[in-house]
Structures are given as structure tokens and as C-alpha cells.
Amino acid sequence: MEGKRRLAPSILAADFMHLQDQIDAAKAGGAEYLHFDVMDGVFVPAISFGMPVMKCVKKGCTLPLDVHLMITQPERYVTDFVRAGADILTVHYEAVKSPARVLEEIRTWGVKAGLAISPETPGEEIRELLPVIDQITVMTVRPGFGGQTYIPECIDKVRQIAGWVNENDYAVDIEVDGGVKHDNVDIFLEAGANVIVTGSAVFKGNVEENVRIFMEKLIAQ
Ligand code: DX5
Ligand code: ZN
């Protein structure tokens, strides 16, 4: 069964001088998660932000934090990100030796366990893990930068994974991340995604209005 549709604005594209205002505007528009992209300069070329920023955001934000770790060996930091306030903690399949073990550890903290897969990873590789995942993030761009154009082939992977989730009635949210805009979000929803990450399409321009337009589409479809 398809999970509730939610928008998860990624603050990677936000104006950090006005972060509180931008988060408040996203919430006012109807966003239900806040997506937090952590990059280490190793798993991906860019470096973004980490625990200290997250702790501040947690104080000023009542939305659940959807934390996307684009870092090598994320198992080293599970406890730190849980303590910093993650509500959903997502590690990359390509970055961990034993995904099942990390996912289980995340769950033992009472935090939702997420697994992200990069565009080059076939859906089959994570199929067996679906019963121990709370949220699967299908990357629709190469992880590492906001503002890219989505890779159309990744849509088939979303559809394939949604099929497995529905057939088996797994309680897994299907998140898509990368290149989602007002004029293409329907494609991701139709393929079976129910959690939509969006960075530049929300934080460039009027944040509240941008979120509102997304929410209308999420509700309408
Ligand atoms: C990319 C990040 C995304 C990114 C999305 O590595 O995981 O969350 O911020 O940004 P847009 O919506 O601009 O593609
Ligand atoms: Zn992300």
C-alpha cells in the first residue's frame, strides 16, 4: 500500500543567512519533513554540513528531520546523528559493508532506518533488504550536488521497487531525491514515490509559494 505523500525540502539549496525564516516558510506551505544532506567530500566530492548545524536546526524546527548521509562508512556516526536529532536516518547502500546491520542499529534507537541507492545501483541489489527498511531513497541524480537534471532511467527503478513494496505490503516509504520540479513531480508520483525531496525548486524564489504548488500536486494526483 502506498504511504502518505510528503514533501521533504532539502535545505542544501537554502539561504543559510535566513535559515529559520526559510524553514518556517517551508512549513507554512505544508512541507512535512525537512531533508538534511550531509556530504563528506569523500563519498561525494562536495562537503556540506554536519552535526553542529543539525543540532541548531533541530532547536528551531518542529518538522521531522530526514537525514541523508552521503558519507563513507556512515556506521561510524549513527549514534551522533541520532543524538543530533535525526528522525529518519538514511545511509547509502554503496557506502556500507553490512547494510542490514546498520539499518537494524538505526532502528534500535527508535529512529526510522533509510537506505539510499545511487543511480548506478540496480534495484535488485536492495530487494532482499526491503523488509528491514523504513524508507528507500532512490537517487534520481548522481548524489553530491543540488540543481541537477533528473536521470530518466531512474524512474523505472522507482516503479520496480514500488511494485515489490506493494506486492508484499511492506511498510516502506519510497523517496525520490534529485531534480524534482513543479513540472515533473507527477512523473515521480505516478511511478510510485510518496516522499518527494526537492531543493532548488523550493528554495529559489518564494519558498512558501513553491511548497504550496508542490503540495497541490501531491494531494491532487
Ligand atoms: C543531492 C542531494 C539532494 C539535493 C536535491 O545529492 O541528495 O537532496 O539537495 O536538490 P535538487 O532538488 O535541487 O536536485
Ligand atoms: Zn538528499
Side-chain angles (χ1 to χ4, degrees):
M1 200 191 88
E2 198 181 287
K4 186 177 181 227
R5 287 183 174 165
R6 293 185 166 95
L7 194 75
S10 163
I11 60 165
L12 189 64
D15 174 356
F16 277 78
M17 288 300 282
H18 302 100
L19 193 52
Q20 180 78 64
D21 291 349
Q22 299 227 314
I23 292 172
D24 290 347
K27 190 178 175 194
E32 289 183 278
Y33 285 162
L34 198 69
H35 189 78
F36 199 93
D37 286 306
V38 180
M39 304 178 183
D40 68 350
V42 180
F43 181 71
V44 291
I47 296 176
S48 60
F49 37 69
M51 267 86 74
V53 176
M54 222 180 109
K55 282 180 190 159
C56 294
V57 169
K58 190 70 184 175
K59 277 190 227 151
C61 174
T62 52
L63 295 175
L65 297 187
D66 174 34
V67 180
H68 178 192
L69 298 183
M70 284 164 275
I71 65 175
T72 49
Q73 295 177 285
E75 50 271 61
R76 293 172 297 162
Y77 295 106
V78 166
T79 318
D80 293 298
F81 279 102
V82 167
R83 290 211 177 107
D87 295 281
I88 304 164
L89 189 57
T90 295
V91 297
H92 260 268
Y93 173 76
E94 302 82 10
V96 286
K97 278 204 192 78
S98 173
R101 198 174 303 161
V102 188
L103 293 161
E104 193 191 325
E105 192 197 339
I106 295 170
R107 278 181 163 181
T108 58
W109 286 99
V111 167
K112 285 191 177 176
L115 191 68
I117 50 171
S118 294
E120 67 276 12
T121 304
E124 283 81 6
E125 288 202 27
I126 58 90
R127 187 174 181 173
E128 299 298 312
L129 291 164
L130 286 171
V132 295
I133 299 174
D134 295 304
Q135 179 167 281
I136 176 88
T137 300
V138 180
M139 292 305 299
T140 43
V141 297
R142 231 169 268 290
F145 300 99
Q148 304 180 68
T149 306
Y150 83 91
I151 303 166
E153 290 74 27
C154 297
I155 303 292
D156 288 338
K157 203 187 323 183
V158 175
R159 198 170 284 117
Q160 177 187 48
I161 292 172
W164 295 329
V165 167
N166 291 332
E167 277 162 29
N168 296 283
D169 218 8
Y170 293 135
V172 180
D173 286 307
I174 302 175
E175 177 174 78
V176 285
D177 186 1
V180 185
K181 312 280 179 207
H182 291 144
D183 64 4
N184 65 20
V185 63
D186 287 349
I187 299 169
F188 300 87
L189 294 170
E190 182 274 325
N194 70 299
V195 180
I196 304 292
V197 176
T198 173
S200 41
V202 159
F203 289 103
K204 302 288 171 239
N206 184 323
V207 177
E208 185 173 340
E209 182 58 18
N210 286 340
V211 170
R212 220 181 279 288
I213 296 168
F214 271 116
M215 293 313 295
E216 278 166 16
K217 290 177 185 281
L218 262 60
I219 294 159
Q221 251 231 6

